[in-house]
Structure formats: structure tokens, C-alpha cells
Amino acid sequence: MVGRETETAEIMRRIAADRSRGEVLILTGHPGAGKSMLLDFAAGHARREGGRVLRAAGSESEAHLGFAGLHQLVRPVLGELDSLPPWQRSALRTVLGLDQGTEAPDGVLTGSAVLTLLSDLAEPAPLLVVVDDAQWIDRASLDVLSFVARRMDGEPVTLLLGARAEAAVPGFDKGFERLEIGPLSGGEANRLLDRQPAPPTGRTRVRILQESAGNPLALVELARADATRPSGGGSVAGPLPVTDRLERIFAEQARFLPEATRRPLLLLAAADATDAPTASRGLPEAGDKAWEPAERAGLVRQDAPWISFRHPLIRSAIYHAASFEERRHAHLALAELSEEPDRRAWHLAAATTRPDEEVSAALRQTAGRARRRGGYAAAAAALERAAELSPRRADQARLLTEAADMAVLTGQLGWVERLAAEVREHSDDPSLIGSAALATGRLRSLRRPHAAAFALLTRVADEAAAVHSPRVLDALAAAAVVRYYSGEEPQRQRIESLLSAVPDLTARGPLRAWVQAVSDPNGAGASLAPALPGLIAEARDGAGSLTTLAIVAWILDQTALAARTFDEAYDRWQARGSLPDGLGSAVGWTYLDQGRWTEARSVAADISAVASAAGLDHAEACAYALDATALALLGETGDARHGAERALALVDPLESRSIVVFARRALGLAAVAEGDYDTAYAQFRSAFTGDGDPVHYHVSYTVLAELAAAAVRLGRREDAADLLERSAWRLGTGMSVRITALLNRGRALLAERDHAEPYFQAALADDAGEQWPFERAQTRLDYGEWLRRQRRIAEARPLLTMALDTFQRLGARPWMERAKAELRAAGIEAADSVAPGALTELSPQQQQIVQLAARGLTNREIGERMYLSPRTVGSHLYRVFPKLGITARAQLRDVVEGALSRVGGQGRDPV
């Protein structure tokens, strides 16, 4: 460990850190920098201190096997799976291939299962999880590890990852601390050479120092090569990069090994991490004696019964130095030995150079198993290789199309585009070409620029319509998402024109409803509202259709119906896929509108994490805008502005008008919370053009009442009134109950004093308005203020009290203070309720834990609901008890009921 004192101290600090929270550290460096040695050091130290260690190491041959890394990690503790909750146990056993599932488990559920497992394992002693060569861990496993890493707060678990400096590690590229393992200094390099069995001298030492560039592995191996080089062999020469030179050195070392050693050594190089032990015992001559020469040469190490290469570069050198025929025989031998069908299929594929239907079929079966486990990258890779080995051109194109569909779920646009291009090369079938293009368009719609995605999707829809293919609806569904993002009117017209090519109004009801509602909620979509409950009832067996229809309900301001439908899909653990597809943030906006702000923020956090890992800037911006709005309503104005500005920075304002208006609405609400009405008016007014047209056909109308309220404060009634009436005229009969209430509130605020009351009454007349408790409370507060100023104090007091109750329940501090001030002016001193105040001081996550615990849910049940481990739930409860002034769990129910007692039955349970 020469020259790594700083790095070892940092790792030691992480392992010995406060055991009340988790630690994540990523070690990065070039091959040979010493990452593996540092990870070995950490594992050895943890074991000596009585801790438990789980390890996994990535390998290129396993990178396409779904959940292979996760299987390697938890393989030593599979017996502990029985203690998991049933749903989590079933999901984890399914993705590990231990059980057969009919559908791929939800990724969030799988991540929760691993989180619970690690938490349970850490109960008796701290747990260290070590993942080496993370750049070669399969994507499905990385997604699970990333999910766990972001939720380890309160767990005595340390996660150390080692990855090559130039390699991307999806899910860990943002938000985690990194420790770069750089080159050794000149002095350190010399110290390391001095410690070698035969320290080099003279010109050779100078050359080694120059060639190694401070890389520890290069220093050691170049010194060893010099020491073992036959007399007169000359000096190391040639301008090759260090890595290439090292591979050549390793291959040279292997060349002089006995045949009985070289054959099993190649077999070990061709094997992956799981079947390597089998490979080491797979040939008659591969006994212990056979490995001794390789061990003396420093190529392998034995830890009975395991045999492994000392460094991945050695494995690479051995493998690539062999002829293809030698590698082919090694893979065939491994295929013969393997009892695992997926590994057998890949070994056969590696040994095959020409089309082979049998091997292609084996890979198709592998893809099917990976897809059922949720390993979409593994499935796509298997389908792509199956296409290469398929003898028939038509089958090649079909398999490549299926691979493109699977690759969409990995978020890798370049891969999808390449597969689509290969489909065009292999087929003239418009159906296959259209399907591959649709896969590309679906993924492009989640990225910038959107205009290109819309053009591609509508072209696919046009071609599908020409041959009466049902694919037209799939393409239009994705195109409608782009239309929602952009707000472009020509895009609505184009979608409407293409939709007319699907005359059967009953065909694929949920998808057609989606296209109509998302692209034109105030026109064609408005007529769908009465039919929605029936469509949802028909879709009970399909979580995907339920989610689609829930988003339609949100778009059409059927918020209560949307929330129930989202909840039903969520209860099946299938509400979210591996990517935040389409309008995935709609569930968060639904919860926000309904007053379930804690859940809305939780949705935003989940989407942000997934979108960031997948490089989906637009989805990430959606999450920031959602969270910023919740923060503004809670009075956390600084954080709200920061989130809204991050959202705006991630999008093109001309292609993402929906995000821009959402973000500026959050900025406006933050300004209102601070009493800055100039800024508030400017932000709300930006939701409309100078001529008064909406910047976005759906989101802009949600600021009408706020715009009117700010205008009154600034004496701009006339401009605001003109804008309100222009909006009412534009919406016409397609106006929802919610927008009608907002318009009436705005009219009441802008009206002459003697003419305001009918508008207030109209805004509160429809009981359906209780779906939007914050907006309802704002109207009650405004009406109560108006009544007090009219000296109708007795009538004002109930409205003001109801408004305050709602604001307290939601934790809307700025509005709470305003309602208290109005009540004092009405002669009522509003007493602060200890419980509501204490609850609103907690974080959103803590609030939700308290509310669920008050219902009687156990820590494990709460953890399942919130994707936390039981230990983390218990840790949060332990910390909030003093804040709530209680000492026992049994008191939580009284605290929560006390916080909600003033609501008087209005609204719904915030959880």
C-alpha cells in the first residue's frame, strides 16, 4: 500500500463512521491504480473488526446477464431471504432466477427487498458491501444498488464501489462522493520499486518509471518482467500505451507456462465470475498442481476452493493472446460444464461464428428469462446476439426489433438508434421498420430536442395509418406527450388529423383516451370525463392501463379519481416502470393537488434519481418543478427557488413550455409566501403571452386565481380581468370544475367590492372543489377577508377557521399566518395547536412515517410502503419522538388526530 496512506485513511473513516447512517464512496482510477487492493484492504479490515462483508466484481462477460452482479453479491446470504416480507422475497427470488414469475417485478420493489435484506444483515454487526469493477456490473444490478445507496440513511452499511476512471457507472454518476486513486508520485514510485524482490536498476529503472507513469500495477509488473526476462532478452521497448504493454507482458508470462497450466488458465479467462470455480475444476489436468506455475508467475491467486486472476488485465491478456480456435474450445468446454442455461447460451454464442438456429433459440430463451426478471439490458443484448446468429433474414429483423423495444427501457438512446438502423438494413417490412422507429421515437420523446421526436413519431403514425396498423395509436400516444411538453398548437392539429385515421372509437380505449386528453384536454378530451370511471373499471387487470387512465384523469382535473386509480396501480407494485415514461410525474402532481404533499415530494425524489441516472433531463426537470411547488407551498422559499431554477436550466423554453410554466408557477408561489407581489405577478403573468394567450394550453390556466390576487395587490386589476375573461372565452364549455372555481375566485378578487360575493359563492358552490384542499382554503380565506371588511364578522369567522384548519393540516406556513392574522382581526385569537406545529416542522419523509405509524403499521410495513428499511423507519421515529413531545409509539395516534381534529371531516387523509 505504498503511497496510499491518504486513501486508506479515508476508507477507514468511512468504515468506522457513525453507525447511525450509511456511507457510500466510489473509488475511481485507471486500471492498475490500486482500486482492487484498496477494496481488499477495506474488506479485510472490516472482517477483522467483526463486521460482515458482501462482495461482487464485475466482468465483461457478465455485463449482459441481468442481475448477475446482484446474484453474486447476495449469493452467500440466500438463506436470509426467507425473513423478508412476502412481496419483497418473491420479487428478489424472481429477479435472481430462483423462482419463476409471470411478470417482471417492479424495480422499486426489488430495490426495497435488497435494502431490507442489507438492513437485516447489518443488525448484529456493521455491514460492508464491496463492488469492484462496477463499470462491468450489469445495468439491472446497478439500478438496484443505486436505489439502495440513496436510501441507506440510518443504516450501519458502507458501500464501496471501484470503477475505472473513464467508465460511466449508471446510477452513481451524480450525488455520491468519489475518491480518485491517482498515480503515485516519483518518490512513492521509487519506494514501491525498492520493495520488489529484485529492484530494477540503471536505465531499466528509468524506463520503468517513465513507462509506468506512476501506475502501481505497471511498476510492479514491469519490474517483475525485467527480473524474469531471460539473460540477453533486451530491454522493454516500443511506444505502446501502458495498458497494451501490460497485456503483452502478462501474455509473455503465460507463454512459458506448461501446457497443463495454460489450458485451464485460458478456461478461467473465458469464464465469468459465477462459473469460474467450475472452470478451474473443469478439465482433468486442472488440479492443484496445474495452477502452481501460474501462481508462482503471479497470474492467479488461490483461496481454496476459489481461483481468480490477480487483476482483470491479466485475464484480458490471457484471453486475447490465445487464438480464436483456442478461445472457441474454451467456451465450448464451459458450455458443456455449465448447468445454468443463460451462461451456457452465451458460451455457445461466443464459440459460434456462423448462423446457428439452435444457439439463436437458446439466446431467445435467455432474453425471455431476463425480461421476466426485469433485466431489460440483458434481454436486449441476448436478442441482438440471437439476431446475429439467426439463419433467416426475416427472423434477424424481427429479433432486432424486439431488442430495440427492450433497449428503450434502458434509456440508452444510441443503442436503440443503432438497432433501429440494423432493422432497416435487414428488412423491407414496413411493420418492423415502423416498430423500430417507434422505439426510437418513444425514447427521444423523453430527451431533448423534442421536435425531432415529434417528427419521427408522427411519421411512424402516418405510415401505420396508411396500412391500418394499430401501431398508429402507439405512435400518437408518444407524440401526445411531446405535444404536452411543447404546447405547440400545430402539433395538436397534426395529432387530431392522424387520429381520424383510427375510426373505431372502441379500439384500445385507454390509449385513445390518452391521446385525446393529453393533446387536447379542453376540446376533444373534455368529453371523456363521464366515460373515465367505466374505462378504469374495465382496466382493473392491467396496471399499465390503470396508470394511463389515471394520468388522463389528472389531465382532466378528475383529481380524486386520478388519485384512487394511481393508488390502485401502486398497490400492485406496478405503477412505475424502469424509466419515468411519458407523464410519469402526473402521479406527483395529483398528490400535490390533493394535499398529499409529502407523497408528492417522495415521487419527485424517485423520478429525479431515476431520470438523473438515465440522463433524461426533461424528466428530471419535471421532478424539480414538482418538488419546488411543494416547497413553495410549505414556505421553504429558498429551496423552492433553487429547484425551480434547476428545472428551467434543464429544458429549452420553446420545447418544454409545460415545465417552464410549472417552474414559474413555483417561483410565483414562493414570492407570494414572502409577500413579494411584484415578483409573483411577473412570474404568474409569464404563463400568458403579451396578447393574453396561454403559453401552455393546460398548465397556464392553473395560475389564473394567483395572478388575480397579485394584480389586486399591485393595482393591475384591468389587465388581469381582461386576461381572465379571455381565458374563459377560450376555454368555453370545456372548462373543468377546478378551472371554473379558480376563475370565479379570480373574478371575485378583481370585482368591485359590492359585486364580489356571487363569484365567491360560485367558487365554493360545487362540493367537487374539496378535491383541491389548498385552493379551496385560499378561496375561503379570501371570502372570509372580504366578509370581515364588509363588517360581517360572524359570517367570516367560520370560513377563516376552516381555511386555517386546512393550512395547518397541510403545513402551508405562510398562508397559515395570514389566516391567523385575519382571525385576530375578526376577534378570534387562533391558538397554536402543538401537534400540527410539531408535525409541520418534521421533514416530509418523517411526517409520512409518523402518519403511517399512527395507523398501526409496523416498521417493516412502513418500510415496504416507503421503500425504506425497517431500521431506517425506527431511526426516524426515535428522532421525532422528542420533537413531538411523546415517549411511546402508542401516543402517535393522539398526536396525528389532534393535528387533524379541526378539519372537521373535510378533505381526505393526507396519506
Side-chain angles (χ1 to χ4, degrees):
M1 303 298 288
V2 173
R4 295 301 183 211
E5 293 79 11
T6 301
E7 291 84 353
T8 54
E10 178 65 16
I11 292 172
M12 286 282 290
R13 184 181 71 81
R14 301 293 177 142
I15 296 176
D18 179 7
R19 300 325 310 159
S20 66
R21 61 189 181 90
E23 291 280 350
V24 180
L25 183 64
I26 304 172
L27 280 61
T28 62
H30 294 290
K35 301 183 298 298
S36 297
M37 183 173 289
L38 286 166
L39 293 174
D40 287 343
F41 165 81
H45 173 79
R47 288 193 181 99
R48 287 191 298 273
E49 294 296 315
R52 193 165 193 173
V53 179
L54 294 180
R55 300 197 65 167
S59 67
E60 289 178 282
S61 62
E62 277 198 319
H64 49 256
L65 293 173
F67 297 104
L70 182 61
H71 187 276
Q72 191 184 153
L73 195 69
V74 304
R75 185 179 182 183
V77 293
L78 290 177
E80 305 288 341
L81 267 58
D82 292 340
S83 65
L84 295 176
W87 279 8
Q88 292 185 1
R89 180 174 64 248
S90 176
L92 190 50
R93 288 185 62 85
T94 299
V95 301
L96 294 176
L98 302 176
D99 289 340
Q100 291 293 324
T102 57
E103 294 183 355
D106 177 68
V108 175
L109 179 57
T110 303
S112 299
V114 175
L115 180 62
T116 302
L117 176 64
L118 297 185
S119 178
D120 289 347
L121 291 171
E123 185 69 36
L127 175 67
L128 174 63
V129 179
V130 176
V131 180
D132 201 1
D133 284 317
Q135 73 277 355
W136 289 329
I137 293 288
D138 63 279
R139 178 61 183 273
S141 296
L142 284 176
D143 288 343
V144 172
L145 288 172
S146 173
F147 177 94
V148 170
R150 295 178 189 278
R151 291 163 175 80
M152 290 200 323
D153 181 45
E155 304 294 340
V157 178
T158 300
L159 173 60
L160 299 179
L161 279 84
R164 290 191 175 180
E166 72 280 4
V169 183
F172 289 92
D173 49 354
K174 295 181 183 178
F176 297 104
E177 290 191 52
R178 306 176 88 82
L179 179 62
E180 183 178 354
I181 314 301
L184 298 178
S185 68
E188 292 165 344
N190 272 299
R191 282 169 52 204
L192 182 58
L193 287 179
D194 287 339
R195 294 192 181 190
Q196 300 311 302
T201 58
R203 281 189 59 195
T204 302
R205 187 182 184 99
V206 173
R207 287 293 306 274
I208 291 175
L209 288 169
Q210 290 174 340
E211 293 282 342
S212 66
N215 184 286
L217 180 64
L219 285 160
V220 171
E221 297 305 330
L222 289 170
R224 179 174 294 169
D226 178 69
T228 58
R229 189 177 299 109
S231 177
S235 62
V236 178
L240 297 174
V242 170
T243 298
D244 290 346
R245 179 172 301 285
L246 285 174
E247 288 188 0
R248 180 175 145 191
I249 291 170
F250 296 142
E252 287 291 328
Q253 288 176 297
R255 179 181 302 174
F256 300 104
L257 295 175
E259 177 68 14
T261 298
R262 287 195 295 116
R263 291 184 62 188
L265 196 64
L266 176 58
L267 200 63
L268 186 65
D272 58 39
T274 298
D275 61 17
T278 303
S280 66
R281 301 188 300 269
L283 295 178
E285 61 264 42
D288 292 339
K289 296 294 184 183
W291 296 110
E292 288 179 0
E295 190 172 21
R296 286 196 300 271
L299 299 176
V300 300
R301 55 185 166 207
Q302 293 197 61
D303 185 11
W306 310 97
I307 297 172
S308 59
F309 288 107
R310 287 195 306 106
H311 192 278
L313 286 176
I314 302 175
R315 176 174 181 247
S316 176
I318 298 298
Y319 183 81
H320 291 290
S323 68
F324 172 76
E325 195 60 27
E326 289 174 321
R327 296 198 300 268
R328 179 174 175 275
H329 282 299
H331 283 295
L332 287 173
L334 288 169
E336 186 68 26
L337 292 167
S338 180
E339 298 178 357
E340 211 283 314
D342 293 342
R343 288 186 169 82
R344 181 177 183 276
W346 278 108
H347 283 305
L348 288 174
T352 305
T353 58
R354 60 186 64 185
D356 187 310
E357 177 58 32
E358 184 177 343
V359 178
S360 179
L363 286 169
R364 294 198 296 271
Q365 293 172 358
T366 288
R369 286 187 288 269
R371 181 169 48 231
R372 287 190 293 274
R373 296 195 302 267
Y376 302 113
L383 288 167
E384 183 178 15
R385 182 61 174 141
E388 293 171 356
L389 295 178
S390 178
R392 290 180 290 275
R393 182 180 173 87
D395 289 342
Q396 293 171 5
R398 177 180 55 78
L399 291 168
L400 288 168
T401 304
E402 292 178 19
D405 281 335
M406 283 294 102
V408 167
L409 298 173
T410 71
Q412 299 179 47
L413 180 59
W415 190 8
V416 176
E417 289 178 331
R418 178 172 59 77
L419 289 168
E422 290 185 24
V423 172
R424 291 193 298 272
E425 292 177 7
H426 285 79
S427 177
D428 297 325
D429 185 342
S431 176
L432 293 177
I433 294 172
S435 294
L438 175 58
T440 304
R442 284 170 55 204
L443 192 49
R444 279 188 187 173
S445 70
L446 301 179
R447 297 173 176 267
R448 295 182 296 173
H450 295 314
F454 188 83
L456 175 59
L457 289 165
T458 50
R459 190 193 77 210
V460 171
D462 201 16
E463 293 170 352
V467 295
H468 305 291
S469 167
R471 192 170 58 255
V472 64
L473 272 178
D474 295 305
L476 290 179
V481 173
V482 179
R483 148 70 173 161
Y484 188 87
Y485 292 159
S486 71
E488 288 278 1
E489 176 61 16
Q491 291 181 351
R492 181 198 66 77
Q493 295 170 356
R494 179 79 172 120
I495 289 171
E496 184 177 306
S497 172
L498 288 166
L499 193 60
S500 65
V502 189
D504 185 1
L505 297 180
T506 63
R508 305 180 73 183
L511 208 54
R512 190 181 188 98
W514 165 281
V515 174
Q516 291 177 309
V518 172
S519 60
D520 188 17
N522 304 312
S527 62
L528 290 169
L532 263 182
L535 288 172
I536 290 170
E538 293 173 5
R540 293 300 181 200
D541 294 332
S545 294
L546 281 176
T547 303
T548 295
L549 292 168
I551 294 173
V552 170
W554 169 72
I555 289 274
L556 299 181
D557 285 331
Q558 301 285 314
T559 304
L561 178 62
R564 289 195 301 271
T565 309
F566 275 129
D567 288 344
E568 183 170 348
Y570 171 87
D571 285 342
R572 298 178 180 198
W573 303 96
Q574 297 175 29
R576 295 173 222 163
S578 53
L579 288 179
D581 54 335
L583 297 174
S585 62
V587 61
W589 288 113
T590 298
Y591 292 157
L592 184 91
D593 293 341
Q594 206 181 32
R596 299 162 66 176
W597 295 352
T598 299
E599 289 172 273
R601 294 198 64 198
S602 178
V603 169
D606 286 341
I607 290 177
S608 178
V610 174
S612 175
L616 304 176
D617 288 350
H618 196 274
E620 191 175 2
C622 289
Y624 280 132
L626 170 61
D627 194 53
T629 305
L631 287 167
L633 294 172
L634 290 165
E636 305 290 340
T637 55
D639 290 340
R641 279 193 297 272
H642 179 66
E645 288 161 1
R646 290 185 72 178
L648 291 170
L650 284 168
V651 298
D652 180 337
L654 297 180
E655 289 205 330
S656 299
R657 291 181 176 88
S658 60
I659 299 300
V660 170
V661 177
F662 272 131
R664 296 207 174 279
R665 185 178 75 166
L667 290 171
L669 288 169
V672 169
E674 294 177 331
D676 180 2
Y677 293 100
D678 281 305
T679 299
Y681 180 82
Q683 296 294 349
F684 295 138
R685 184 62 180 81
S686 70
F688 296 86
T689 67
D691 294 333
D693 294 330
V695 170
H696 190 269
Y697 62 92
H698 181 245
V699 188
S700 288
Y701 296 120
T702 63
V703 309
L704 287 171
E706 297 291 355
L707 175 66
V712 169
R713 300 267 184 170
L714 301 175
R716 298 184 179 182
R717 292 174 181 265
E718 186 175 340
D719 179 52
D722 179 66
L723 198 149
L724 254 68
E725 297 312 318
R726 180 186 288 269
S727 296
W729 173 81
R730 180 181 289 273
L731 289 168
T733 58
M735 203 182 308
S736 69
V737 171
R738 180 188 185 187
I739 299 302
T740 300
L742 292 176
L743 270 171
N744 280 320
R745 179 192 166 209
R747 285 166 170 159
L749 293 169
L750 296 168
E752 295 296 330
R753 178 170 296 184
D754 294 340
H755 299 98
E757 187 164 28
Y759 294 118
F760 278 127
Q761 292 173 339
L764 294 170
D766 197 326
D767 290 339
E770 301 295 342
Q771 297 175 78
W772 308 284
F774 178 75
E775 293 170 4
R776 195 75 158 180
Q778 285 181 298
T779 304
R780 287 186 172 117
L781 176 58
D782 292 336
Y783 190 14
E785 288 178 339
W786 182 87
L787 287 168
R788 186 185 63 77
R789 286 169 173 75
Q790 295 294 103
R791 301 186 183 281
R792 293 160 61 181
I793 305 299
E795 295 174 75
R797 287 171 176 169
L799 287 169
L800 295 173
T801 300
M802 293 174 73
L804 176 59
D805 287 342
T806 301
F807 293 142
Q808 285 182 323
R809 173 169 64 88
L810 298 176
R813 294 184 189 90
W815 289 266
M816 201 184 332
E817 295 306 315
R818 184 178 147 203
K820 288 179 182 178
E822 283 298 322
L823 276 169
R824 283 194 295 270
I828 297 178
E829 188 64 35
D832 286 328
S833 173
V834 176
L839 280 174
T840 57
E841 290 297 325
L842 302 180
S843 72
Q845 186 180 67
Q846 289 173 335
Q847 289 181 43
Q848 191 171 2
I849 288 172
V850 166
Q851 290 160 346
L852 291 172
R855 289 182 176 183
L857 274 69
T858 66
N859 287 1
R860 189 170 288 272
E861 290 169 337
I862 296 170
E864 287 186 54
R865 183 79 66 91
M866 296 183 63
Y867 313 125
L868 299 171
S869 75
R871 179 193 295 272
T872 298
V873 174
S875 177
H876 278 300
L877 287 173
Y878 177 80
R879 292 198 293 268
V880 303
F881 276 14
K883 298 179 182 179
L884 298 176
I886 62 175
T887 58
R889 192 184 189 103
Q891 296 171 278
L892 287 173
R893 186 177 185 86
D894 292 336
V895 170
V896 173
E897 287 182 351
L900 302 178
S901 61
R902 296 188 184 184
V903 178
Q906 74 172 295
R908 71 181 304 281
D909 191 326
V911 181

